[in-house]
Amino acid sequence: MKKKQIAILGSTGSIGTQALQVIEEHPDLYEAYALTANNRVELLIEQARRFQPEAVVIANEAHYATLKAALADLPIKVYAGTDALCQIVESQPIDVVLTAMVGYAGLRPTMNAIRAGKAIALANKETLVVAGELINELARQYHTPILPVDSEHSAIFQCLEPGNALSKVILTASGGPFRQLSREELAHVTKVQALKHPTWSMGAKITIDSASMMNKGFEVIEAKWLFGVQPEQIEVVVHPQSVIHSMVEFEDGAVKAQLGVPDMRLPIQYAFSYPRRLPLSGGRLDFMKCRELTFEAPDLQRFRNLALAYEALHQGGNLPCIVNAANEVVVAAFLADRISFLGMSDIIEQAMQRIPFVAQPTYEDYVATDAETRQKAAEWIR
Ligand code: NAD
Ligand code: MG
């Protein structure tokens, strides 16, 4: 059988490196065709030597010479720049594109991959947050499947029953490291505290998003576009043990959940192997060790980002794009100690109120909204 050819956008990140572990577990089924990264050129070189892909792309062109020289003895094509990154996904042999890069930068390569008819294993939730309607329309037009990698959405996907409508989806949230802090305490939390997530080890941006609940807000928006549900059909339940990865409720009231140890390799692998399941090494759920599964409502007063995301989803148009762009700016500022934890939501709210609303945005509108929001948000932080 022909091996599935996989392109990993963001192979040096948390999702990217775990995807390579999945490929390594099933060398008879999967092959890394293309690996891409932004700045971590040394790790990309190491991965290229080990997995011998057809091509590598470094988005930051400043690293091109280093990458090219380090791989000179191998028949690997070496490219640099975002245009090259957007083009590589169109390569004929590629079957699946795993979008494991972070942020808005994932939008254009994802659109190209869809147009080229590649199955999308979607980790880059920002793409659906920014332009969910456009992405769905493209996927329909080009008959391209979009398979969720986000653990909650993979869980929901694993619970679906063809032909049976959902009455709601229930996204579980760990609550992050600040679940029990008061607003006064939240005002003083630092990035070091925010970067310590209780259950998952992830890239810096999504770790801050998890602490601020923006990640859950984005997942609500992501769920709408992946599963065709309305905002009122998407419920968030805080479940600190992270054993239930999410649930669905059907019209007869039956609820199905997917459970397991927290391990992103499972949703990554399932997106590669769907509809089959494959063996996977690693821990197994031991119910004797998790006697207590608890649930609580999210606090929208303390975690305003979640309320802002619901608001953006209700109003639609370019508002989710505004929220995403403002969030990328404030998270970078928080990581640079230039804004407080609660200050992040203030800027996002300001952007929602002040950036012009576009009810039915085109791709060009998204590009313009993203650029304008970034510029304004950066000014407001100064
Ligand atoms: P990360 O920061 O660990 O890795 C990001 C990767 O993208 C790196 O390889 C980096 O080189 C590349 N990259 C970053 N900016 C880029 C740019 N402008 N152009 C090209 N490449 C760029 O991030 P991560 O935690 O692996 O998350 C990746 C995506 O997956 C995010 O959208 C995140 O929300 C989503 N996700 C992650 C997890 C997780 O467990 N880490 C879970 C669910 C969803
Ligand atoms: Mg998630």
Side-chain angles (χ1 to χ4, degrees):
M1 201 177 75
K2 182 182 161 288
K3 294 182 194 177
K4 248 187 204 176
Q5 300 297 312
I6 298 181
I8 305 181
L9 307 185
S11 65
T12 57
S14 158
I15 294 289
T17 49
Q18 294 181 86
L20 285 170
Q21 291 170 22
V22 168
I23 291 178
E24 221 159 25
E25 276 208 26
H26 303 285
D28 48 331
L29 296 177
Y30 305 124
E31 210 160 46
Y33 183 91
L35 302 179
T36 83
N38 196 26
N39 277 315
R40 296 181 66 186
V41 67
E42 295 305 330
L43 181 54
L44 184 61
I45 291 166
E46 199 184 305
Q47 292 178 338
R49 299 199 77 85
R50 182 166 183 155
F51 289 89
Q52 307 269 330
E54 191 69 20
V56 292
V57 183
I58 188 89
N60 182 345
E61 297 180 30
H63 298 298
Y64 175 73
T66 312
L67 183 61
K68 180 86 183 147
L71 300 177
D73 60 323
L74 296 171
I76 300 175
K77 299 188 193 91
V78 179
Y79 305 102
T82 40
D83 286 341
L85 195 138
C86 289
Q87 278 161 22
I88 198 72
V89 299
E90 297 168 357
S91 308
Q92 197 274 331
I94 294 173
D95 300 298
V96 180
V97 173
L98 171 66
T99 65
M101 53 203 280
V102 62
Y104 174 86
L107 177 60
R108 195 154 71 94
T110 306
M111 288 173 64
N112 276 15
I114 294 174
R115 285 199 194 96
K118 312 303 184 190
I120 307 293
L122 187 130
N124 179 260
K125 66 190 89 189
E126 293 92 339
T127 286
L128 283 184
V129 171
V130 170
E133 195 156 18
L134 187 82
I135 292 291
N136 271 1
E137 176 54 29
L138 271 184
R140 197 191 51 74
Q141 201 179 332
Y142 290 89
H143 308 287
T144 314
I146 297 183
L147 301 148
V149 170
D150 212 347
S151 60
E152 294 77 1
H153 305 75
S154 176
I156 291 167
F157 185 60
Q158 292 175 58
C159 292
L160 296 180
E161 296 180 3
N164 286 328
L166 299 175
S167 59
K168 69 179 179 189
V169 301
I170 302 149
L171 292 170
T172 51
S174 72
F178 304 144
R179 181 171 61 92
Q180 289 166 316
L181 299 195
S182 66
R183 248 190 106 72
E184 293 67 42
E185 289 169 315
L186 283 177
H188 304 291
V189 296
T190 64
K191 72 173 180 210
V192 177
Q193 293 169 303
L195 285 169
K196 284 195 192 116
H197 193 275
T199 38
W200 301 93
S201 160
M202 308 175 288
K205 195 254 178 186
I206 186 177
T207 306
I208 302 301
D209 286 347
S210 300
S212 72
M213 287 291 248
M214 186 48 95
N215 182 52
K216 210 47 61 179
F218 284 170
E219 291 182 353
V220 168
I221 300 175
E222 185 184 12
K224 172 182 166 138
W225 299 117
L226 284 172
F227 306 116
V229 285
Q230 294 309 311
E232 16 340 309
Q233 292 176 290
I234 309 170
E235 184 179 341
V236 172
V237 172
V238 176
H239 165 49
Q241 296 82 13
S242 299
V243 168
I244 298 178
H245 297 316
S246 276
M247 304 178 256
V248 301
E249 185 193 277
F250 292 94
E251 290 174 309
D252 58 0
V255 174
K256 278 169 79 175
Q258 188 258 331
L259 290 69
V261 295
D263 182 347
M264 284 308 296
R265 292 176 311 146
L266 169 61
I268 295 167
Q269 174 170 297
Y270 193 67
F272 290 171
S273 69
Y274 175 79
R276 279 184 66 197
R277 286 185 186 275
L278 298 175
L280 182 66
S281 64
R284 294 294 184 260
L285 200 56
D286 178 351
F287 280 92
M288 297 312 124
K289 288 194 179 132
C290 58
R291 289 174 191 224
E292 200 183 38
L293 298 183
T294 61
F295 307 94
E296 56 196 76
D299 184 338
L300 301 185
Q301 257 74 51
R302 283 186 302 132
F303 295 99
R304 258 165 66 224
N305 282 351
L306 186 54
L308 294 176
Y310 265 107
E311 172 70 18
L313 183 57
H314 270 291
Q315 300 204 27
N318 63 341
L319 259 185
C321 174
I322 294 171
V323 171
N324 179 70
N327 183 61
E328 288 191 28
V329 172
V330 295
V331 168
F334 180 70
L335 287 170
D337 298 315
R338 294 184 45 241
I339 191 171
S340 70
F341 188 76
L342 293 178
M344 292 197 286
S345 306
D346 296 336
I347 300 281
I348 295 166
E349 194 163 15
Q350 200 172 332
M352 291 173 73
Q353 288 160 357
R354 292 174 59 177
I355 304 295
F357 180 69
V358 182
Q360 302 213 299
T362 60
Y363 173 68
E364 289 70 29
D365 291 325
Y366 288 126
V367 174
T369 297
D370 178 74
E372 182 177 0
T373 308
R374 279 170 199 275
Q375 192 207 330
K376 291 277 162 50
E379 282 171 24
W380 297 331
I381 292 172
R382 263 188 232 127

Short mmCIF file of all heavy atoms in Angstrom, two decimals, residues 267-311:
data_model
loop_
_atom_site.label_atom_id
_atom_site.label_comp_id
_atom_site.label_asym_id
_atom_site.label_seq_id
_atom_site.Cartn_x
_atom_site.Cartn_y
_atom_site.Cartn_z
N PRO A 267 -5.42 12.41 19.07
CA PRO A 267 -6.16 13.15 18.02
C PRO A 267 -5.36 13.37 16.74
O PRO A 267 -5.94 13.38 15.65
CB PRO A 267 -6.53 14.48 18.69
CG PRO A 267 -5.77 14.55 19.96
CD PRO A 267 -5.40 13.16 20.35
N ILE A 268 -4.05 13.54 16.86
CA ILE A 268 -3.23 13.72 15.63
C ILE A 268 -3.30 12.43 14.80
O ILE A 268 -3.59 12.45 13.60
CB ILE A 268 -1.75 14.03 15.99
CG1 ILE A 268 -1.62 15.38 16.71
CG2 ILE A 268 -0.88 14.00 14.73
CD1 ILE A 268 -0.26 15.62 17.35
N GLN A 269 -3.07 11.32 15.47
CA GLN A 269 -3.08 10.04 14.76
C GLN A 269 -4.45 9.73 14.17
O GLN A 269 -4.56 9.23 13.04
CB GLN A 269 -2.65 8.91 15.71
CG GLN A 269 -2.76 7.53 15.09
CD GLN A 269 -2.12 6.45 15.94
OE1 GLN A 269 -0.91 6.48 16.15
NE2 GLN A 269 -2.89 5.51 16.43
N TYR A 270 -5.50 10.05 14.92
CA TYR A 270 -6.85 9.76 14.43
C TYR A 270 -7.16 10.57 13.17
O TYR A 270 -7.83 10.08 12.26
CB TYR A 270 -7.89 10.03 15.53
CG TYR A 270 -9.25 9.47 15.20
CD1 TYR A 270 -9.44 8.09 15.13
CD2 TYR A 270 -10.33 10.30 14.96
CE1 TYR A 270 -10.69 7.56 14.82
CE2 TYR A 270 -11.58 9.79 14.65
CZ TYR A 270 -11.75 8.42 14.58
OH TYR A 270 -12.98 7.90 14.27
N ALA A 271 -6.65 11.81 13.13
CA ALA A 271 -6.86 12.63 11.93
C ALA A 271 -6.12 12.02 10.73
O ALA A 271 -6.57 12.11 9.60
CB ALA A 271 -6.39 14.06 12.18
N PHE A 272 -4.99 11.37 11.00
CA PHE A 272 -4.25 10.71 9.91
C PHE A 272 -4.93 9.41 9.49
O PHE A 272 -4.96 9.06 8.32
CB PHE A 272 -2.81 10.36 10.35
CG PHE A 272 -1.89 11.54 10.53
CD1 PHE A 272 -0.62 11.36 11.10
CD2 PHE A 272 -2.24 12.83 10.14
CE1 PHE A 272 0.26 12.42 11.26
CE2 PHE A 272 -1.37 13.90 10.31
CZ PHE A 272 -0.12 13.69 10.87
N SER A 273 -5.47 8.67 10.44
CA SER A 273 -5.90 7.30 10.16
C SER A 273 -7.40 7.16 9.91
O SER A 273 -7.86 6.12 9.47
CB SER A 273 -5.52 6.37 11.32
OG SER A 273 -6.31 6.68 12.46
N TYR A 274 -8.18 8.22 10.23
CA TYR A 274 -9.63 8.17 10.11
C TYR A 274 -10.07 7.56 8.79
O TYR A 274 -9.50 7.89 7.77
CB TYR A 274 -10.21 9.59 10.22
CG TYR A 274 -11.69 9.66 10.00
CD1 TYR A 274 -12.57 9.31 11.00
CD2 TYR A 274 -12.20 10.03 8.75
CE1 TYR A 274 -13.94 9.33 10.77
CE2 TYR A 274 -13.57 10.05 8.53
CZ TYR A 274 -14.42 9.70 9.54
OH TYR A 274 -15.77 9.71 9.31
N PRO A 275 -11.05 6.69 8.74
CA PRO A 275 -11.91 6.25 9.85
C PRO A 275 -11.34 5.10 10.67
O PRO A 275 -12.01 4.61 11.58
CB PRO A 275 -13.18 5.81 9.12
CG PRO A 275 -12.69 5.31 7.80
CD PRO A 275 -11.49 6.11 7.44
N ARG A 276 -10.13 4.66 10.36
CA ARG A 276 -9.55 3.55 11.13
C ARG A 276 -8.97 4.06 12.44
O ARG A 276 -8.60 5.21 12.57
CB ARG A 276 -8.41 2.91 10.33
CG ARG A 276 -8.85 1.94 9.28
CD ARG A 276 -7.63 1.30 8.63
NE ARG A 276 -6.86 0.47 9.55
CZ ARG A 276 -5.60 0.09 9.33
NH1 ARG A 276 -4.96 0.48 8.25
NH2 ARG A 276 -4.99 -0.69 10.19
N ARG A 277 -8.84 3.15 13.40
CA ARG A 277 -8.04 3.41 14.59
C ARG A 277 -6.81 2.53 14.50
O ARG A 277 -6.87 1.42 13.99
CB ARG A 277 -8.80 3.08 15.87
CG ARG A 277 -9.88 4.08 16.20
CD ARG A 277 -10.52 3.76 17.55
NE ARG A 277 -11.65 4.65 17.79
CZ ARG A 277 -11.55 5.87 18.31
NH1 ARG A 277 -10.36 6.34 18.68
NH2 ARG A 277 -12.62 6.61 18.49
N LEU A 278 -5.71 3.06 14.99
CA LEU A 278 -4.45 2.32 14.96
C LEU A 278 -3.93 2.17 16.37
O LEU A 278 -4.26 2.96 17.26
CB LEU A 278 -3.40 3.09 14.14
CG LEU A 278 -3.70 3.35 12.67
CD1 LEU A 278 -2.61 4.23 12.08
CD2 LEU A 278 -3.78 2.03 11.91
N PRO A 279 -3.05 1.18 16.60
CA PRO A 279 -2.43 1.08 17.92
C PRO A 279 -1.65 2.36 18.23
O PRO A 279 -1.15 3.01 17.30
CB PRO A 279 -1.46 -0.09 17.78
CG PRO A 279 -1.88 -0.83 16.56
CD PRO A 279 -2.58 0.14 15.68
N LEU A 280 -1.57 2.70 19.50
CA LEU A 280 -0.77 3.85 19.91
C LEU A 280 -0.14 3.52 21.26
O LEU A 280 -0.84 3.08 22.18
CB LEU A 280 -1.65 5.11 20.02
CG LEU A 280 -0.93 6.41 20.39
CD1 LEU A 280 0.03 6.86 19.31
CD2 LEU A 280 -1.95 7.54 20.65
N SER A 281 1.17 3.71 21.35
CA SER A 281 1.87 3.46 22.62
C SER A 281 1.44 4.50 23.64
O SER A 281 0.81 5.48 23.29
CB SER A 281 3.37 3.56 22.39
OG SER A 281 3.69 4.89 22.01
N GLY A 282 1.81 4.26 24.89
CA GLY A 282 1.55 5.29 25.90
C GLY A 282 0.55 4.86 26.94
O GLY A 282 0.06 3.73 26.93
N GLY A 283 0.28 5.78 27.86
CA GLY A 283 -0.54 5.47 29.03
C GLY A 283 -1.98 5.15 28.68
O GLY A 283 -2.47 5.49 27.60
N ARG A 284 -2.63 4.45 29.58
CA ARG A 284 -4.05 4.14 29.42
C ARG A 284 -4.79 4.66 30.63
O ARG A 284 -4.24 4.77 31.72
CB ARG A 284 -4.26 2.62 29.32
CG ARG A 284 -3.66 2.01 28.04
CD ARG A 284 -4.38 2.50 26.79
NE ARG A 284 -3.89 1.88 25.56
CZ ARG A 284 -3.03 2.44 24.71
NH1 ARG A 284 -2.53 3.64 24.96
NH2 ARG A 284 -2.66 1.83 23.60
N LEU A 285 -6.06 4.97 30.42
CA LEU A 285 -6.87 5.49 31.51
C LEU A 285 -7.08 4.41 32.57
O LEU A 285 -7.46 3.30 32.26
CB LEU A 285 -8.22 5.94 30.93
CG LEU A 285 -9.03 6.92 31.74
CD1 LEU A 285 -8.22 8.16 32.03
CD2 LEU A 285 -10.29 7.29 30.96
N ASP A 286 -6.79 4.77 33.81
CA ASP A 286 -7.01 3.84 34.92
C ASP A 286 -8.08 4.48 35.82
O ASP A 286 -7.81 5.44 36.53
CB ASP A 286 -5.68 3.65 35.67
CG ASP A 286 -5.83 2.74 36.87
OD1 ASP A 286 -6.99 2.40 37.23
OD2 ASP A 286 -4.80 2.37 37.47
N PHE A 287 -9.29 3.91 35.75
CA PHE A 287 -10.39 4.53 36.49
C PHE A 287 -10.19 4.48 38.00
O PHE A 287 -10.74 5.29 38.74
CB PHE A 287 -11.73 3.87 36.11
CG PHE A 287 -12.26 4.42 34.81
CD1 PHE A 287 -11.96 3.80 33.60
CD2 PHE A 287 -13.01 5.59 34.79
CE1 PHE A 287 -12.42 4.32 32.41
CE2 PHE A 287 -13.47 6.11 33.59
CZ PHE A 287 -13.17 5.49 32.39
N MET A 288 -9.38 3.52 38.46
CA MET A 288 -9.15 3.45 39.90
C MET A 288 -8.29 4.63 40.37
O MET A 288 -8.25 4.96 41.54
CB MET A 288 -8.46 2.14 40.27
CG MET A 288 -9.31 0.92 39.96
SD MET A 288 -11.00 1.14 40.59
CE MET A 288 -11.96 0.90 39.13
N LYS A 289 -7.61 5.25 39.41
CA LYS A 289 -6.77 6.40 39.78
C LYS A 289 -7.47 7.74 39.51
O LYS A 289 -6.95 8.78 39.81
CB LYS A 289 -5.46 6.36 39.00
CG LYS A 289 -4.53 5.27 39.49
CD LYS A 289 -3.13 5.47 38.95
CE LYS A 289 -2.22 4.37 39.48
NZ LYS A 289 -1.43 3.76 38.44
N CYS A 290 -8.65 7.68 38.89
CA CYS A 290 -9.37 8.95 38.67
C CYS A 290 -10.79 8.80 39.17
O CYS A 290 -11.74 8.80 38.42
CB CYS A 290 -9.33 9.39 37.21
SG CYS A 290 -9.99 8.25 36.02
N ARG A 291 -10.89 8.64 40.48
CA ARG A 291 -12.20 8.37 41.07
C ARG A 291 -13.12 9.56 41.00
O ARG A 291 -14.33 9.44 41.06
CB ARG A 291 -12.03 7.95 42.52
CG ARG A 291 -11.43 6.58 42.54
CD ARG A 291 -11.09 6.13 43.92
NE ARG A 291 -10.27 4.93 43.76
CZ ARG A 291 -10.43 3.85 44.47
NH1 ARG A 291 -11.33 3.80 45.39
NH2 ARG A 291 -9.66 2.82 44.25
N GLU A 292 -12.52 10.74 40.93
CA GLU A 292 -13.35 11.93 40.97
C GLU A 292 -13.32 12.69 39.65
O GLU A 292 -12.26 13.11 39.20
CB GLU A 292 -12.83 12.84 42.09
CG GLU A 292 -13.87 13.83 42.54
CD GLU A 292 -13.36 14.78 43.59
OE1 GLU A 292 -12.20 15.20 43.52
OE2 GLU A 292 -14.17 15.12 44.48
N LEU A 293 -14.47 12.81 39.02
CA LEU A 293 -14.58 13.66 37.84
C LEU A 293 -15.53 14.79 38.22
O LEU A 293 -16.68 14.53 38.59
CB LEU A 293 -15.15 12.88 36.65
CG LEU A 293 -14.33 11.69 36.15
CD1 LEU A 293 -15.01 11.08 34.91
CD2 LEU A 293 -12.92 12.09 35.79
N THR A 294 -15.05 16.02 38.18
CA THR A 294 -15.89 17.13 38.64
C THR A 294 -16.19 18.09 37.49
O THR A 294 -15.46 18.14 36.49
CB THR A 294 -15.22 17.91 39.78
OG1 THR A 294 -13.99 18.45 39.29
CG2 THR A 294 -14.93 17.01 40.96
N PHE A 295 -17.27 18.83 37.65
CA PHE A 295 -17.74 19.75 36.61
C PHE A 295 -18.21 21.04 37.26
O PHE A 295 -18.85 21.02 38.30
CB PHE A 295 -18.90 19.10 35.84
CG PHE A 295 -18.53 17.75 35.31
CD1 PHE A 295 -18.82 16.59 36.03
CD2 PHE A 295 -17.82 17.62 34.13
CE1 PHE A 295 -18.43 15.34 35.57
CE2 PHE A 295 -17.43 16.39 33.66
CZ PHE A 295 -17.74 15.24 34.38
N GLU A 296 -17.88 22.16 36.63
CA GLU A 296 -18.38 23.45 37.11
C GLU A 296 -18.62 24.38 35.93
O GLU A 296 -18.06 24.16 34.85
CB GLU A 296 -17.41 24.06 38.14
CG GLU A 296 -16.01 24.22 37.61
CD GLU A 296 -14.96 24.46 38.73
OE1 GLU A 296 -14.60 23.50 39.44
OE2 GLU A 296 -14.53 25.60 38.85
N ALA A 297 -19.42 25.40 36.18
CA ALA A 297 -19.70 26.37 35.10
C ALA A 297 -18.51 27.32 34.97
O ALA A 297 -17.89 27.68 35.97
CB ALA A 297 -20.96 27.15 35.43
N PRO A 298 -18.18 27.74 33.75
CA PRO A 298 -17.12 28.74 33.59
C PRO A 298 -17.59 30.09 34.13
O PRO A 298 -18.77 30.41 34.02
CB PRO A 298 -16.89 28.81 32.08
CG PRO A 298 -18.14 28.31 31.47
CD PRO A 298 -18.78 27.36 32.45
N ASP A 299 -16.69 30.85 34.71
CA ASP A 299 -17.05 32.15 35.28
C ASP A 299 -16.73 33.25 34.26
O ASP A 299 -15.58 33.60 34.03
CB ASP A 299 -16.24 32.36 36.57
CG ASP A 299 -16.61 33.65 37.26
OD1 ASP A 299 -17.14 34.56 36.60
OD2 ASP A 299 -16.36 33.74 38.48
N LEU A 300 -17.79 33.76 33.63
CA LEU A 300 -17.59 34.73 32.55
C LEU A 300 -17.23 36.12 33.06
O LEU A 300 -16.82 36.98 32.27
CB LEU A 300 -18.85 34.81 31.66
CG LEU A 300 -19.29 33.50 31.00
CD1 LEU A 300 -20.45 33.74 30.06
CD2 LEU A 300 -18.14 32.84 30.25
N GLN A 301 -17.38 36.35 34.37
CA GLN A 301 -16.95 37.63 34.92
C GLN A 301 -15.44 37.65 35.08
O GLN A 301 -14.77 38.61 34.74
CB GLN A 301 -17.59 37.87 36.31
CG GLN A 301 -18.75 38.86 36.26
CD GLN A 301 -19.98 38.21 35.65
OE1 GLN A 301 -20.37 37.13 36.06
NE2 GLN A 301 -20.57 38.85 34.64
N ARG A 302 -14.92 36.55 35.61
CA ARG A 302 -13.46 36.49 35.82
C ARG A 302 -12.74 36.23 34.50
O ARG A 302 -11.66 36.73 34.28
CB ARG A 302 -13.12 35.41 36.83
CG ARG A 302 -13.40 35.84 38.27
CD ARG A 302 -12.91 34.80 39.26
NE ARG A 302 -13.52 33.50 39.02
CZ ARG A 302 -12.87 32.36 38.95
NH1 ARG A 302 -11.56 32.33 39.12
NH2 ARG A 302 -13.51 31.24 38.71
N PHE A 303 -13.36 35.44 33.62
CA PHE A 303 -12.72 35.11 32.34
C PHE A 303 -13.54 35.71 31.21
O PHE A 303 -14.30 35.03 30.54
CB PHE A 303 -12.55 33.61 32.21
CG PHE A 303 -11.59 33.05 33.23
CD1 PHE A 303 -12.05 32.46 34.39
CD2 PHE A 303 -10.22 33.16 33.04
CE1 PHE A 303 -11.16 31.98 35.35
CE2 PHE A 303 -9.32 32.68 33.99
CZ PHE A 303 -9.80 32.10 35.14
N ARG A 304 -13.36 37.03 31.03
CA ARG A 304 -14.19 37.76 30.08
C ARG A 304 -13.98 37.32 28.64
O ARG A 304 -14.85 37.49 27.79
CB ARG A 304 -13.88 39.25 30.20
CG ARG A 304 -14.95 39.98 30.98
CD ARG A 304 -14.45 41.34 31.40
NE ARG A 304 -14.22 42.24 30.29
CZ ARG A 304 -13.13 43.03 30.19
NH1 ARG A 304 -12.19 42.98 31.10
NH2 ARG A 304 -13.01 43.85 29.18
N ASN A 305 -12.77 36.80 28.35
CA ASN A 305 -12.49 36.41 26.96
C ASN A 305 -13.51 35.43 26.41
O ASN A 305 -13.85 35.47 25.24
CB ASN A 305 -11.10 35.76 26.87
CG ASN A 305 -10.00 36.80 26.88
OD1 ASN A 305 -10.27 37.99 26.79
ND2 ASN A 305 -8.76 36.35 26.99
N LEU A 306 -13.99 34.55 27.28
CA LEU A 306 -14.95 33.55 26.82
C LEU A 306 -16.25 34.25 26.40
O LEU A 306 -16.84 33.94 25.36
CB LEU A 306 -15.20 32.51 27.92
CG LEU A 306 -16.07 31.32 27.56
CD1 LEU A 306 -15.56 30.60 26.32
CD2 LEU A 306 -16.13 30.33 28.73
N ALA A 307 -16.68 35.23 27.20
CA ALA A 307 -17.88 36.00 26.85
C ALA A 307 -17.66 36.79 25.56
O ALA A 307 -18.55 36.87 24.70
CB ALA A 307 -18.24 36.95 27.99
N LEU A 308 -16.46 37.34 25.40
CA LEU A 308 -16.16 38.13 24.18
C LEU A 308 -16.19 37.23 22.95
O LEU A 308 -16.68 37.63 21.89
CB LEU A 308 -14.79 38.81 24.31
CG LEU A 308 -14.66 39.89 25.40
CD1 LEU A 308 -13.22 40.42 25.48
CD2 LEU A 308 -15.64 41.03 25.16
N ALA A 309 -15.70 36.03 23.08
CA ALA A 309 -15.70 35.10 21.94
C ALA A 309 -17.12 34.71 21.56
O ALA A 309 -17.47 34.66 20.38
CB ALA A 309 -14.87 33.86 22.27
N TYR A 310 -17.98 34.45 22.56
CA TYR A 310 -19.40 34.14 22.27
C TYR A 310 -20.06 35.31 21.56
O TYR A 310 -20.82 35.14 20.60
CB TYR A 310 -20.17 33.82 23.56
CG TYR A 310 -20.24 32.34 23.88
CD1 TYR A 310 -19.50 31.78 24.91
CD2 TYR A 310 -21.09 31.49 23.15
CE1 TYR A 310 -19.57 30.43 25.21
CE2 TYR A 310 -21.18 30.13 23.45
CZ TYR A 310 -20.42 29.61 24.48
OH TYR A 310 -20.49 28.27 24.77
N GLU A 311 -19.75 36.52 22.06
CA GLU A 311 -20.30 37.74 21.46
C GLU A 311 -19.88 37.85 19.98
O GLU A 311 -20.69 38.12 19.10
CB GLU A 311 -19.79 38.94 22.28
CG GLU A 311 -20.09 40.31 21.71
CD GLU A 311 -21.56 40.66 21.80
OE1 GLU A 311 -22.26 40.01 22.59
OE2 GLU A 311 -21.99 41.57 21.05
#
